[in-house]
Amino acid sequence: MRSYLFAVLVGCLLVAGCVNVGKRAGEQNVAIYDFGKLPAALVGDANRSMAYGLEIRSPRWLDSAAINYRLGYDKGSRRNEYTLSRWVATPAQLIDHRLRYQLGLASPGQSGVRCVLVVEIDEFLQLFTSTTESAGVLQGNVRLLDRSRNGLSSWRFDFDVPAVTPDASGGAAALIVAVDHLGKAIFNWMDTADGRAARSSCAN
């Protein structure tokens, strides 16, 4: 009887060990975030008049799937990462996918592309101004380059979107909205005098 119980116990331990194979310590409850449902695609003459390529650039400290936050009210120069929450990919990859769909943009090397829209991300994090209030911050620069990589136009962007909850979920949701604001800003810029002049240069 003892030998039987011992065999059963060993079998249970082996099964438990097999269940945990492939899981890294501390990751059982990690929440993985993407950008959710794709937004409605923006259409109009600004998109149909010429073919733009899209290129997203970001600093090295954003080259991971970490969801970053900063406590502006305490040690404001310290950059932090949520330990039990992360993006499904790097911010640059997620932003590229969303803007490409939203604006109907191509890859830089795709046939027919005359100019490249370069989006340089300087900041992408959740900024806490108190223990209960925070916002998704998206900052950077947009540049339009011709086929020779000469600059045709550029402008800065800076979006602060209040987070509904002071946690990773609230920060992720606010940052997604900030990216959608950027897409709309780029689309609207295409129909400004500066944007139309840049498109005309690309079309020639």
Side-chain angles (χ1 to χ4, degrees), residues 119-199:
V119 178
E120 298 171 328
I121 306 299
D122 294 332
E123 191 59 283
F124 186 76
L125 56 61
Q126 182 179 11
L127 176 63
F128 283 85
T129 54
S130 73
T131 57
T132 58
E133 296 184 347
S134 66
V137 176
L138 174 60
Q139 298 173 331
N141 187 61
V142 175
R143 295 191 296 141
L144 184 64
L145 309 179
D146 64 17
R147 279 177 284 191
S148 299
R149 291 281 171 164
N150 296 313
L152 298 175
S153 181
S154 66
W155 51 276
R156 293 281 305 170
F157 60 85
D158 187 348
F159 298 104
D160 280 19
V161 178
V164 176
T165 56
D167 52 19
S169 177
L175 287 166
I176 294 168
V177 174
V179 174
D180 287 345
H181 286 347
L182 174 59
K184 292 176 183 178
I186 293 174
F187 182 80
N188 291 334
W189 168 81
M190 288 177 177
D191 270 340
T192 65
D194 185 40
R196 289 194 299 270
R199 294 205 318 273

Side-chain angles (χ1 to χ4, degrees), residues 42-43 45 72 96 188:
L42 299 173
V43 295
D45 293 337
D96 178 90
N188 291 334

Side-chain angles (χ1 to χ4, degrees), residues 61 70 84 105 114 169:
W61 56 85
R70 188 188 305 278
L84 294 179
L105 302 176
R114 300 185 182 94
S169 177

